[in-house]
Amino acid sequence: MAGPDQNQTERTDPAGSKPQRVVTTHRRSLAKTVSWRVTATIDTFIISFFVTGSFAWASSIAGLEVLTKMGLYYLHERAWARVQWGGL
């Protein structure tokens, strides 16, 4: 059974024979948050650089959005971990 900081979902194993329980912990959500933000911030920097033509502006934009969007993504991930819709 999942603890207070965990949510359980079931997934089918690669052979497709039986469901496996996957526990979504706060640590897993945080790791996903950080890995996604690194990827998305690089994308934001590149787009900002092409739009502005300025390394300084692109860095400022990417730096600000990494802080705000990391928090928003984490909250979004935790909310979706509680949603039963579409689960097995």
Side-chain angles (χ1 to χ4, degrees):
M1 185 150 241
D5 69 333
Q6 302 172 340
N7 297 97
Q8 287 187 5
T9 58
E10 288 186 358
R11 294 186 182 156
T12 304
D13 69 2
S17 61
K18 64 180 182 176
Q20 297 175 329
R21 292 203 184 273
V22 177
V23 177
T24 303
T25 64
H26 287 278
R27 184 177 288 177
R28 177 181 167 87
S29 293
L30 185 59
K32 287 175 67 177
T33 299
V34 171
S35 69
W36 171 247
R37 282 316 324 148
V38 167
T39 303
T41 300
I42 290 169
D43 178 59
T44 298
F45 174 82
I46 291 168
I47 292 169
S48 298
F49 183 75
F50 282 123
V51 170
T52 66
S54 167
F55 183 83
W57 272 105
S59 297
S60 295
I61 293 167
L64 180 60
E65 71 90 46
V66 73
L67 297 174
T68 60
K69 289 187 180 172
M70 191 179 297
L72 290 171
Y73 180 85
Y74 179 81
L75 295 173
H76 180 262
E77 175 70 19
R78 292 311 302 167
W80 268 101
R82 294 177 182 273
V83 173
Q84 297 296 317
W85 175 78
L88 297 175

